[in-house]
């Protein structure tokens, strides 16, 4: 509908996009920047969204593309590799002080971005593997192998404890 | 690539199990494998716990109010889409004209025949019904945007379109025939704006009522016409002109069923 209802369908997805971006980037500000870029792109390309198809999957596709662009740009600009210990203060614990979430977020950030993305789309967003393949633009086999590596690596990191997580070699921040 | 630590890690069946995507039969098969292999069971349970932890992550964000700048970013859509709707109306007509042109080529002299057929007195109303059929074909298949204003805002719809067509419009009810109003939209026509109202029955079958001034209708003794029937591309229309204003009701229905609807509309106008 090209009535004010159009933006309402978009607004309804914002909380979900924010939480996903937060887990993906590990940073509240970077996450909201990514969400804002995603919303702006959705507005620009609204006519390209095939009516009736899954709006959420389309929004995640836009966010994926922006995330990948951002990662590439950071690489091109020789983005400063940031040591996890330096950004630990950015990774503020949630107000209720869940140490576990902080650990999980730290370990998650040590996964390669493409693995982190697949893992979060599958778990946090509970998307089907074929949707994840479509969103990230890779074949199903690649989704499954990224998922598998992400799960195994994250388990190692978590079981290795805080020590292993803190001794991260180097982490590139996306934003 | 195989996982160095565990060659089983890539088994898609195990991931589908962790993500709850297996039917009971396949799920039972995985459980049997887990029962027989303690190492595998540990791995899968760790993955399950990990999944739960990830699903809990940053749950507090969901409860937070959406920041104003993000709301504003989303609301840009309304401003853009009203501009887009205008573009789409013209774009839609351009597409319709292309369809007509294409159909003309494909049907060889089909387009010309029709033009000749409706020439002489009824040319204008022939074009009118042709546009009604094109608008029908363009918007009836729409799932998400079949109309610009929905039936829920019926009063607004009638006021808006009456204003744009510069004539008080009445919305005929087709409920006795089993069709409920879906809504309406504004379209461009030769002699100004035209309106399309869409109706739908319980089976999801749609008919459209297309109304608007007919170019030159008043000046050439065309102020009024009898009911006419047209059948284009499997779509049936009854159309008529009254006081220089054209009406066409169009649908994929047999002629007698269309006539019933046309008479119902005519009686109510």
């Amino acid at each position: 509908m090209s009535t004010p209802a159009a933006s309402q369908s978009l607004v309804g997805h914002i909380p979900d996009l924010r939480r996903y971006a937060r887990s993906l980037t590990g940073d509240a500000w970077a996450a909201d920047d990514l969400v804002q870029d995603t919303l702006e792109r959705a507005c620009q390309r609204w006519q390209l969204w095939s009516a009736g198809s899954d709006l959420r999957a389309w929004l995640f596709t836009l966010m994926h593309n922006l995330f990948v662009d951002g990662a590439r740009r950071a690489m091109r600009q020789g983005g400063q590799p940031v040591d996890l210990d330096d950004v630990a203060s950015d990774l503020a614990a949630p107000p209720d002080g869940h140490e576990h979430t902080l650990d999980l977020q730290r370990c998650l950030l040590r996964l390669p971005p493409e693995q982190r993305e697949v893992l979060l789309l599958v778990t946090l967003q509970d998307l089907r593997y074929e949707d994840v393949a479509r969103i990230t633009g890779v074949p199903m086999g690649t989704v499954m192998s990224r998922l598998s590596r992400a799960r195994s690596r994250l388990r190692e990191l978590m079981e290795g404890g805080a020590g292993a997580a803190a001794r991260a070699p180097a982490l590139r921040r996306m934003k | 690539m195989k996982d160095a630590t565990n060659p089983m890690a890539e088994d898609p069946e195990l991931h589908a199990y962790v993500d709850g995507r297996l039917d009971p039969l396949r799920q039972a098969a995985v459980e049997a494998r887990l029962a027989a292999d303690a190492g595998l069971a540990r791995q899968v349970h760790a993955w399950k716990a990990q999944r739960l932890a990830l699903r809990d992550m940053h749950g507090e964000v969901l409860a937070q109010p959406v920041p104003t700048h993000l709301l504003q970013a989303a609301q840009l859509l309304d401003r853009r889409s009203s501009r887009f709707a205008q573009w789409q109306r013209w774009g839609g007509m351009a597409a319709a004209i292309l369809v007509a042109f294409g159909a003309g080529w494909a049907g060889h002299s089909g387009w010309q025949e029709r033009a000749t057929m409706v020439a002489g007195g009824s040319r204008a109303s022939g074009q009118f019904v042709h546009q009604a059929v094109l608008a029908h074909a363009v918007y009836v298949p729409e799932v998400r945007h079949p109309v610009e204003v929905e039936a829920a805002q019926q009063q607004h719809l009638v006021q808006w379109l009456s204003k744009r067509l510069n004539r008080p419009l009445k919305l005929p009810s087709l409920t006795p025939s089993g069709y409920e109003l879906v809504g309406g939209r504004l379209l461009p026509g030769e002699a100004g704006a035209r309106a399309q109202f869409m109706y739908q029955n319980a089976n999801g079958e749609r008919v459209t009522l297309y109304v608007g001034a007919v170019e030159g209708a008043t000046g050439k003794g065309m102020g009024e016409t009898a009911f006419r029937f047209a059948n284009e591309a499997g779509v049936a229309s009854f159309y008529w002109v009254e006081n220089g204003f054209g009406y066409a009701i169009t649908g994929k229905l047999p002629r007698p069923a269309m006539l019933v609807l046309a008479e119902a509309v005519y009686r109510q106008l």
Side-chain angles (χ1 to χ4, degrees):
Chain A
M1 237 48 28
S2 45
T3 60
S7 72
Q8 283 313 306
S9 53
L10 210 47
V11 168
H13 288 281
I14 295 178
D16 222 20
L17 290 168
R18 289 185 76 214
R19 179 168 74 135
Y20 171 75
R22 176 69 186 273
S23 306
L24 189 64
T25 61
D27 178 283
W29 292 105
D32 278 355
D33 280 353
L34 185 57
V35 173
Q36 174 147 18
D37 290 348
T38 303
L39 293 171
E40 282 169 4
R41 191 164 282 195
C43 292
Q44 285 159 11
R45 303 196 175 173
W46 187 250
Q47 63 272 32
L48 297 182
W49 172 59
S50 23
S53 70
D54 186 349
L55 179 59
R56 185 171 75 126
W58 184 64
L59 292 172
F60 278 102
T61 307
L62 297 180
M63 185 176 272
H64 159 78
N65 292 336
L66 287 161
F67 177 68
V68 170
D69 289 353
R72 280 207 200 104
R73 204 176 315 122
M75 294 289 266
R76 255 203 320 278
Q77 292 167 350
Q80 290 295 314
V82 178
D83 192 279
L84 200 59
D85 289 337
D86 298 337
V87 296
S89 58
D90 288 0
L91 308 176
D96 50 4
H98 275 145
E99 273 301 308
H100 187 256
T101 300
L102 185 55
D103 273 353
L104 187 60
Q105 181 71 77
R106 277 164 170 258
C107 294
L108 204 50
L109 288 174
R110 292 190 56 201
L111 298 179
E114 66 278 5
Q115 290 182 20
R116 195 187 324 146
E117 241 191 335
V118 166
L119 182 63
L120 288 172
L121 290 172
V122 167
T123 58
L124 190 69
Q125 294 311 127
D126 202 24
L127 285 158
R128 295 177 309 159
Y129 304 140
E130 48 269 45
D131 290 332
V132 176
R134 226 169 288 135
I135 287 167
T136 55
V138 298
M140 274 280 278
T142 309
V143 168
M144 296 317 288
S145 84
R146 283 179 184 174
L147 178 62
S148 155
R149 272 180 277 163
R151 281 186 160 145
S152 299
R153 181 81 182 119
L154 186 60
R155 183 184 171 203
E156 279 169 27
L157 290 168
M158 290 298 285
E159 287 176 2
R167 290 272 59 85
L171 171 82
R172 276 177 202 280
R173 285 179 84 195
M174 287 312 139
K175 198 87 189 184
Chain B
M1 222 199 290
K2 289 287 166 209
D3 193 286
T5 52
N6 190 337
M8 297 305 286
E10 285 228 356
D11 186 344
E13 206 70 1
L14 295 180
H15 292 285
Y17 174 77
V18 170
D19 295 315
R21 304 236 171 244
L22 292 183
D23 58 48
L25 211 64
R26 285 162 69 195
Q27 193 178 320
V30 171
E31 274 158 6
R33 281 171 65 193
L34 298 184
D37 183 339
L40 195 62
R42 259 199 308 281
Q43 172 185 284
V44 166
H45 290 137
W47 285 354
K48 270 191 147 175
Q50 190 190 83
R51 180 184 160 89
L52 286 176
L54 287 168
R55 286 188 59 78
D56 262 1
M57 218 177 164
H58 299 307
E60 78 281 358
V61 175
L62 295 180
Q64 288 166 4
V66 173
T68 318
H69 69 284
L70 295 183
L71 275 178
Q72 283 167 348
Q75 279 154 0
L76 267 183
L77 185 59
D78 295 332
R79 259 174 283 156
R80 277 176 196 278
S81 67
S82 61
R83 243 181 301 148
F84 175 65
Q86 279 167 5
W87 178 88
Q88 195 183 35
R89 277 199 284 280
W90 295 103
M93 279 319 282
I97 289 160
L98 272 180
V99 168
F101 192 67
W105 273 113
H108 191 50
S109 57
W111 173 246
Q112 256 185 333
E113 269 166 25
R114 188 154 43 239
T116 324
M117 195 178 69
V118 298
S122 60
R123 187 188 188 107
S125 63
Q127 275 172 354
F128 177 82
V129 73
H130 185 60
Q131 285 162 347
V133 169
L134 291 174
H136 177 91
V138 169
Y139 292 112
V140 156
E142 276 287 348
V143 178
R144 224 186 119 79
H145 306 284
V147 293
E148 278 178 286
V149 176
E150 286 168 288
Q153 302 169 316
Q154 188 164 335
Q155 204 186 349
H156 162 69
L157 175 68
V158 173
Q159 281 172 356
W160 171 53
L161 291 175
S162 298
K163 196 169 158 228
R164 294 306 308 271
L165 271 66
N166 203 18
R167 170 181 302 234
L169 295 179
K170 261 196 244 162
L171 255 181
S173 162
L174 296 178
T175 308
S177 311
Y179 286 84
E180 295 294 346
L181 184 71
V182 179
R185 66 167 67 238
L186 185 67
L187 293 164
E190 276 135 351
R194 295 212 174 130
Q196 183 193 55
F197 299 105
M198 195 180 292
Y199 297 82
Q200 180 171 306
N201 71 6
N203 299 328
E205 293 160 332
R206 289 167 168 179
V207 296
T208 54
L209 175 64
Y210 182 80
V211 301
V214 177
E215 170 92 288
T218 38
K220 292 176 189 163
M222 278 271 310
E224 312 235 350
T225 70
F227 267 19
R228 290 167 194 269
F229 179 73
N231 200 333
E232 270 192 70
V235 184
S237 303
F238 271 99
Y239 63 102
W240 65 97
V241 179
E242 200 176 11
N243 298 325
F245 214 64
Y247 302 87
I249 178 130
T250 305
K252 236 181 191 152
L253 291 177
R255 184 174 172 147
M258 275 322 294
L259 184 60
V260 170
L261 295 177
E263 285 175 331
V265 171
Y266 183 75
R267 272 198 310 273
Q268 293 177 60
L269 290 172

